[in-house]
Amino acid sequence: MPDILPAEAFQQLLVNATPLIDTRAPIEFSRGSFPSAVNLPLLDDSERDLVGKKYRAAGQAAAIELGEQLISGPLREQRLNQWIQFVSEHPDAVIFCFRGGLRSQTAQNWLADAGYSVPRVAGGYKAMRQFLTETTNRVSHTRELLVVGGKTGCAKTDLVNRIAAGVDLEGLANHRGSAFGRRIDPQPTQINFENQLAIRFLQLPFSDYERLVVEDEGHAIGSLSVPVELFLRMRQAPLAVVEEPLAFRVQTVLHAYVNVNYSDFLAADPPTAADSFSAYLHSSLQRIRRRLGADLYQEIEADLDEALRTHLQHQDSEAHKVWIEKLLRHYYDPMYDYQMQKKLHRLAFRGNSEEFLHWVSRLKLKRNQPLPPAQPCL
C-alpha cells in the first residue's frame, strides 16, 4: 500500500469500512467523521487551540515548534503507543487529519520510526467529506427513485429494508420520523448522517439496481435534515402507497414504539427503565399537544397513563392499543389524508404489503425502465 492514498482509493476505504485513525482534536471529531474512524488525536482540544493561536500570531514554523514542545516526552510516548496498539490490532489501518497535512504526517513519521508503515489519506478528512457530499449529489441527480408511502403503522421501513436497492433513511438517522420517533441512543450529527447516507449509496449494487427505493419522509427526520438535492428528487418521484387495516397498524406501532423502546430502556438501565420510558411517551405526546387540541390531548393522556400502569405493573402492553388507535384515527390519519391529496398525481401503486412486494419484485429497478402497471386506485 502506498504511503499516501489518493482520491481514487476513497470509495474502497469507505465501503470496506477500513479502520481509520482520525488524528484531529476531539472537538473536530465530535462534529463528524466516518463510521470506521476512531479518534486518536495528535493534539487535544486545548493544545490545538494554543497551536492555532501561535500559527495566526507567528506563522507555521513557530506553531510547529510549540506543538513539539507540548507533546514531548511521556505525552509523546503515550499518544504514539495508542496508535501502535490500534495498528497492531488493525494492520490495514489508515491515518488522516483535517487536510492530510502536518498532523497525519507527524503521526505517520512517528509510527514509521517505531517500525510501523501506515498510509495517510491525501487531502485528509476534508477531501473524503467532499467526496461523499459529491456522491450524494451525483446519486440524487442521476438515479431514479421510488418513494414508499402509507399511513403510520404500515411498516414501510421494514418493506424498504427488504428491498436490495432500499435506503433506510430513518435507520441512518436513528429516528422513526414522528413525534414518537426518538430512540434511546442519540441521533448522529448531521455530518455523520450525511456521510453514512453517501456510504450506503456507494454500497448499493448499481450494476443491477439503478432505481433507489426510499420511504416517504419530510425534510426533517428528528433533528436531522435529508440532503436538499435528494429531498427535491423524492418530492418528484413515483409514489407507491402501502395500505393496511387499522388493527395491523396499531399492532405495528405497539411493537415498534412501545415494546421495542421499553426493551431498549430496560437494556440500558433496568432500575430507571420504567420512569425513563414513561417520560419518553409523555414528552412525545406533549410535542403534538397543540395540534391535538386540549380535549383530545387530555383524553389520550389519560389513556396513556392507564396503559402505563397496566404495562409496568403487569408486564402487559396491550392496553397501549387504546391510545394508539385514537392517535392514529384522530391525528395521524387525517394529517396523512390531507398530505396525500397533494401527491395523487405521482401515484404508481396502491395495495397492501404483500401486493407491494410482489409489484416491486417485477421491477428490475433499472434506470428509465417504466414501472409496471399499478394496482387499481380506488
Side-chain angles (χ1 to χ4, degrees), residues 310-328:
T310 302
H311 185 187
L312 299 175
Q313 290 176 10
H314 304 290
Q315 300 303 305
D316 181 1
S317 65
E318 287 294 302
H320 287 285
K321 289 183 175 180
V322 174
W323 68 265
I324 291 173
E325 181 172 337
K326 287 181 181 178
L327 202 58
L328 293 180

Side-chain angles (χ1 to χ4, degrees), residues 48-59:
R48 171 179 173 266
D49 184 55
L50 290 172
V51 170
K53 289 178 179 176
K54 177 63 74 172
Y55 177 85
R56 290 188 291 274

Side-chain angles (χ1 to χ4, degrees), residues 21-26 28 38-51 66-88 95 103-104 106-112 114 116 118:
I21 300 174
D22 187 339
T23 63
R24 296 177 303 153
E28 297 172 280
V38 61
N39 188 211
L40 298 175
L42 176 67
L43 301 171
D44 66 20
D45 293 337
S46 60
E47 293 159 352
R48 171 179 173 266
D49 184 55
L50 290 172
V51 170
L66 175 60
E68 290 174 348
Q69 294 172 2
L70 291 172
I71 49 173
S72 60
L75 187 56
R76 180 187 187 278
E77 291 304 310
Q78 178 190 21
R79 293 186 185 169
L80 174 59
N81 287 335
Q82 288 180 324
W83 299 331
I84 289 174
Q85 180 179 349
F86 188 83
V87 171
S88 299
I95 201 163
R103 285 181 286 182
S104 58
T106 298
Q108 185 183 46
N109 290 339
W110 289 4
L111 283 164
Y116 296 87
V118 181

Side-chain angles (χ1 to χ4, degrees), residues 182-185 257-281 283-284:
R182 180 172 58 88
R183 305 297 301 269
I184 187 170
D185 295 325
Y257 292 80
V258 175
N259 294 337
V260 171
N261 273 350
Y262 183 51
S263 295
D264 289 344
F265 280 110
L266 277 173
D269 189 3
T272 66
D275 289 341
S276 298
F277 178 62
S278 298
Y280 149 73
L281 287 178
S283 64
S284 299

